[in-house]
Amino acid sequence: MAFLFGYDLTDIKLLESLLNYRLAKPKHLSAMKYDVNFKKSQEKTIYKYLRKLLDQKLIAKYRMQNGSEGSLYYLTGKGHEFRNYY
């Protein structure tokens, strides 16, 4: 595990992707990291990393409404502040 400023940052690429794209679903992050033909196990790994970042309050999620599936993830103020130091 990688630690920076007291944060566990197993996969910093997710933070960079969220900074560049503002909002993303886990399947989009999986496609960016593993290629378009990613496996279900790779998407589960992305969910694991997102959970860690949520617990650290570096990202937040917005649950989709109106029948849409899933959630959108985005950087919090704390995530933006961390990104400035990184």
Side-chain angles (χ1 to χ4, degrees):
M1 285 186 215
F3 288 92
L4 187 62
F5 299 115
Y7 294 107
D8 174 16
L9 298 170
T10 308
D11 198 346
I12 196 74
K13 294 286 185 189
L14 290 177
L15 287 177
E16 291 174 2
S17 295
L18 289 173
L19 180 69
N20 293 332
Y21 295 101
R22 306 293 187 238
L23 292 166
K25 285 187 172 185
K27 69 177 184 176
H28 298 136
L29 294 169
S30 299
M32 284 184 250
K33 181 173 171 93
Y34 299 112
D35 196 19
V36 177
N37 299 320
F38 60 89
K39 298 177 183 170
K40 192 69 170 172
S41 62
Q42 292 171 322
E43 186 177 9
K44 287 182 181 181
T45 301
I46 294 294
Y47 274 105
K48 183 179 87 173
Y49 292 144
L50 288 171
R51 171 56 49 201
K52 287 181 182 181
L53 293 171
L54 278 168
D55 291 344
Q56 296 171 35
K57 308 237 187 290
L58 292 175
I59 65 171
K61 68 179 180 177
Y62 173 76
R63 181 164 297 289
M64 300 291 291
Q65 298 176 2
N66 299 331
S68 297
E69 289 184 15
S71 298
L72 291 171
Y73 291 84
Y74 59 93
L75 286 177
T76 61
K78 193 175 190 180
H80 280 287
E81 181 180 324
F82 173 78
R83 182 64 181 107
N84 289 337
Y85 290 115
Y86 171 72

mmCIF file of all heavy atoms in Angstrom, residues 26 30 33-34 37-49:
data_model
loop_
_atom_site.group_PDB
_atom_site.id
_atom_site.type_symbol
_atom_site.label_atom_id
_atom_site.label_comp_id
_atom_site.label_asym_id
_atom_site.label_seq_id
_atom_site.Cartn_x
_atom_site.Cartn_y
_atom_site.Cartn_z
ATOM 1 N N PRO A 26 -18.152 3.638 -12.169
ATOM 2 C CA PRO A 26 -17.098 2.626 -12.052
ATOM 3 C C PRO A 26 -16.795 1.894 -13.356
ATOM 4 O O PRO A 26 -15.638 1.585 -13.634
ATOM 5 C CB PRO A 26 -17.643 1.670 -10.993
ATOM 6 C CG PRO A 26 -18.525 2.520 -10.158
ATOM 7 C CD PRO A 26 -19.152 3.489 -11.112
ATOM 8 N N SER A 30 -13.173 1.646 -15.061
ATOM 9 C CA SER A 30 -12.606 0.339 -15.419
ATOM 10 C C SER A 30 -12.136 0.336 -16.867
ATOM 11 O O SER A 30 -11.063 -0.184 -17.174
ATOM 12 C CB SER A 30 -13.639 -0.769 -15.220
ATOM 13 O OG SER A 30 -14.047 -0.838 -13.892
ATOM 14 N N LYS A 33 -8.897 2.279 -17.132
ATOM 15 C CA LYS A 33 -7.731 1.640 -16.543
ATOM 16 C C LYS A 33 -7.342 0.346 -17.252
ATOM 17 O O LYS A 33 -6.174 0.088 -17.480
ATOM 18 C CB LYS A 33 -7.980 1.361 -15.065
ATOM 19 C CG LYS A 33 -6.787 0.711 -14.386
ATOM 20 C CD LYS A 33 -6.984 0.586 -12.913
ATOM 21 C CE LYS A 33 -5.905 -0.256 -12.305
ATOM 22 N NZ LYS A 33 -4.800 0.488 -11.825
ATOM 23 N N TYR A 34 -8.335 -0.482 -17.593
ATOM 24 C CA TYR A 34 -8.048 -1.826 -18.100
ATOM 25 C C TYR A 34 -8.323 -2.018 -19.582
ATOM 26 O O TYR A 34 -8.119 -3.090 -20.102
ATOM 27 C CB TYR A 34 -8.865 -2.863 -17.326
ATOM 28 C CG TYR A 34 -8.559 -2.893 -15.859
ATOM 29 C CD1 TYR A 34 -9.508 -2.486 -14.930
ATOM 30 C CD2 TYR A 34 -7.330 -3.330 -15.396
ATOM 31 C CE1 TYR A 34 -9.233 -2.525 -13.580
ATOM 32 C CE2 TYR A 34 -7.046 -3.372 -14.047
ATOM 33 C CZ TYR A 34 -8.011 -2.965 -13.149
ATOM 34 O OH TYR A 34 -7.741 -3.002 -11.809
ATOM 35 N N ASN A 37 -12.500 -3.775 -22.978
ATOM 36 C CA ASN A 37 -12.931 -5.154 -22.724
ATOM 37 C C ASN A 37 -12.482 -5.635 -21.350
ATOM 38 O O ASN A 37 -11.878 -6.704 -21.224
ATOM 39 C CB ASN A 37 -12.392 -6.080 -23.811
ATOM 40 C CG ASN A 37 -12.895 -5.694 -25.175
ATOM 41 O OD1 ASN A 37 -14.059 -5.332 -25.320
ATOM 42 N ND2 ASN A 37 -12.045 -5.736 -26.172
ATOM 43 N N PHE A 38 -12.795 -4.878 -20.306
ATOM 44 C CA PHE A 38 -12.394 -5.263 -18.957
ATOM 45 C C PHE A 38 -13.250 -6.417 -18.449
ATOM 46 O O PHE A 38 -14.358 -6.649 -18.929
ATOM 47 C CB PHE A 38 -12.477 -4.074 -18.004
ATOM 48 C CG PHE A 38 -13.855 -3.479 -17.882
ATOM 49 C CD1 PHE A 38 -14.746 -3.945 -16.945
ATOM 50 C CD2 PHE A 38 -14.246 -2.435 -18.712
ATOM 51 C CE1 PHE A 38 -16.010 -3.396 -16.822
ATOM 52 C CE2 PHE A 38 -15.500 -1.881 -18.611
ATOM 53 C CZ PHE A 38 -16.394 -2.371 -17.661
ATOM 54 N N LYS A 39 -12.699 -7.140 -17.463
ATOM 55 C CA LYS A 39 -13.404 -8.276 -16.864
ATOM 56 C C LYS A 39 -14.187 -7.809 -15.650
ATOM 57 O O LYS A 39 -13.903 -6.766 -15.070
ATOM 58 C CB LYS A 39 -12.401 -9.348 -16.452
ATOM 59 C CG LYS A 39 -11.634 -9.909 -17.615
ATOM 60 C CD LYS A 39 -10.607 -10.892 -17.150
ATOM 61 C CE LYS A 39 -9.803 -11.380 -18.343
ATOM 62 N NZ LYS A 39 -8.648 -12.152 -17.955
ATOM 63 N N LYS A 40 -15.157 -8.598 -15.250
ATOM 64 C CA LYS A 40 -15.973 -8.270 -14.078
ATOM 65 C C LYS A 40 -15.099 -8.165 -12.822
ATOM 66 O O LYS A 40 -15.328 -7.312 -11.971
ATOM 67 C CB LYS A 40 -17.066 -9.329 -13.903
ATOM 68 C CG LYS A 40 -18.117 -8.967 -12.919
ATOM 69 C CD LYS A 40 -18.956 -7.828 -13.444
ATOM 70 C CE LYS A 40 -20.156 -7.626 -12.553
ATOM 71 N NZ LYS A 40 -20.883 -6.424 -12.901
ATOM 72 N N SER A 41 -14.101 -9.020 -12.711
ATOM 73 C CA SER A 41 -13.211 -8.969 -11.544
ATOM 74 C C SER A 41 -12.430 -7.653 -11.506
ATOM 75 O O SER A 41 -12.147 -7.126 -10.429
ATOM 76 C CB SER A 41 -12.246 -10.152 -11.551
ATOM 77 O OG SER A 41 -11.416 -10.111 -12.694
ATOM 78 N N GLN A 42 -12.089 -7.117 -12.664
ATOM 79 C CA GLN A 42 -11.379 -5.837 -12.716
ATOM 80 C C GLN A 42 -12.294 -4.700 -12.294
ATOM 81 O O GLN A 42 -11.862 -3.774 -11.616
ATOM 82 C CB GLN A 42 -10.828 -5.604 -14.118
ATOM 83 C CG GLN A 42 -9.720 -6.570 -14.485
ATOM 84 C CD GLN A 42 -9.324 -6.494 -15.938
ATOM 85 O OE1 GLN A 42 -10.164 -6.313 -16.810
ATOM 86 N NE2 GLN A 42 -8.033 -6.657 -16.201
ATOM 87 N N GLU A 43 -13.567 -4.779 -12.657
ATOM 88 C CA GLU A 43 -14.522 -3.755 -12.224
ATOM 89 C C GLU A 43 -14.722 -3.826 -10.710
ATOM 90 O O GLU A 43 -14.837 -2.803 -10.039
ATOM 91 C CB GLU A 43 -15.853 -3.927 -12.939
ATOM 92 C CG GLU A 43 -16.819 -2.808 -12.642
ATOM 93 C CD GLU A 43 -18.126 -2.913 -13.407
ATOM 94 O OE1 GLU A 43 -18.376 -3.939 -14.061
ATOM 95 O OE2 GLU A 43 -18.896 -1.948 -13.351
ATOM 96 N N LYS A 44 -14.710 -5.026 -10.155
ATOM 97 C CA LYS A 44 -14.836 -5.184 -8.699
ATOM 98 C C LYS A 44 -13.633 -4.576 -7.985
ATOM 99 O O LYS A 44 -13.767 -4.021 -6.900
ATOM 100 C CB LYS A 44 -14.990 -6.654 -8.327
ATOM 101 C CG LYS A 44 -16.345 -7.207 -8.678
ATOM 102 C CD LYS A 44 -16.485 -8.654 -8.253
ATOM 103 C CE LYS A 44 -17.847 -9.195 -8.643
ATOM 104 N NZ LYS A 44 -18.017 -10.586 -8.218
ATOM 105 N N THR A 45 -12.467 -4.680 -8.601
ATOM 106 C CA THR A 45 -11.269 -4.063 -8.033
ATOM 107 C C THR A 45 -11.427 -2.542 -7.992
ATOM 108 O O THR A 45 -11.058 -1.904 -7.010
ATOM 109 C CB THR A 45 -10.026 -4.451 -8.853
ATOM 110 O OG1 THR A 45 -9.900 -5.878 -8.849
ATOM 111 C CG2 THR A 45 -8.765 -3.828 -8.274
ATOM 112 N N ILE A 46 -11.999 -1.974 -9.033
ATOM 113 C CA ILE A 46 -12.251 -0.528 -9.068
ATOM 114 C C ILE A 46 -13.193 -0.141 -7.934
ATOM 115 O O ILE A 46 -12.981 0.864 -7.247
ATOM 116 C CB ILE A 46 -12.817 -0.092 -10.436
ATOM 117 C CG1 ILE A 46 -11.781 -0.282 -11.536
ATOM 118 C CG2 ILE A 46 -13.316 1.351 -10.395
ATOM 119 C CD1 ILE A 46 -10.562 0.609 -11.426
ATOM 120 N N TYR A 47 -14.247 -0.941 -7.717
ATOM 121 C CA TYR A 47 -15.174 -0.671 -6.617
ATOM 122 C C TYR A 47 -14.441 -0.698 -5.273
ATOM 123 O O TYR A 47 -14.721 0.123 -4.390
ATOM 124 C CB TYR A 47 -16.314 -1.689 -6.586
ATOM 125 C CG TYR A 47 -17.471 -1.350 -7.474
ATOM 126 C CD1 TYR A 47 -17.672 -2.018 -8.675
ATOM 127 C CD2 TYR A 47 -18.368 -0.358 -7.119
ATOM 128 C CE1 TYR A 47 -18.742 -1.710 -9.493
ATOM 129 C CE2 TYR A 47 -19.447 -0.033 -7.934
ATOM 130 C CZ TYR A 47 -19.628 -0.713 -9.116
ATOM 131 O OH TYR A 47 -20.691 -0.404 -9.918
ATOM 132 N N LYS A 48 -13.501 -1.615 -5.115
ATOM 133 C CA LYS A 48 -12.725 -1.708 -3.872
ATOM 134 C C LYS A 48 -11.905 -0.434 -3.658
ATOM 135 O O LYS A 48 -11.885 0.131 -2.564
ATOM 136 C CB LYS A 48 -11.813 -2.939 -3.920
ATOM 137 C CG LYS A 48 -11.014 -3.169 -2.654
ATOM 138 C CD LYS A 48 -10.161 -4.414 -2.769
ATOM 139 C CE LYS A 48 -8.859 -4.038 -3.406
ATOM 140 N NZ LYS A 48 -7.872 -5.138 -3.425
ATOM 141 N N TYR A 49 -11.244 0.032 -4.699
ATOM 142 C CA TYR A 49 -10.457 1.260 -4.602
ATOM 143 C C TYR A 49 -11.351 2.468 -4.328
ATOM 144 O O TYR A 49 -10.997 3.346 -3.540
ATOM 145 C CB TYR A 49 -9.646 1.486 -5.873
ATOM 146 C CG TYR A 49 -8.545 0.492 -6.111
ATOM 147 C CD1 TYR A 49 -8.243 0.078 -7.393
ATOM 148 C CD2 TYR A 49 -7.803 -0.038 -5.058
ATOM 149 C CE1 TYR A 49 -7.226 -0.842 -7.627
ATOM 150 C CE2 TYR A 49 -6.798 -0.949 -5.291
ATOM 151 C CZ TYR A 49 -6.512 -1.350 -6.570
ATOM 152 O OH TYR A 49 -5.514 -2.242 -6.795
#
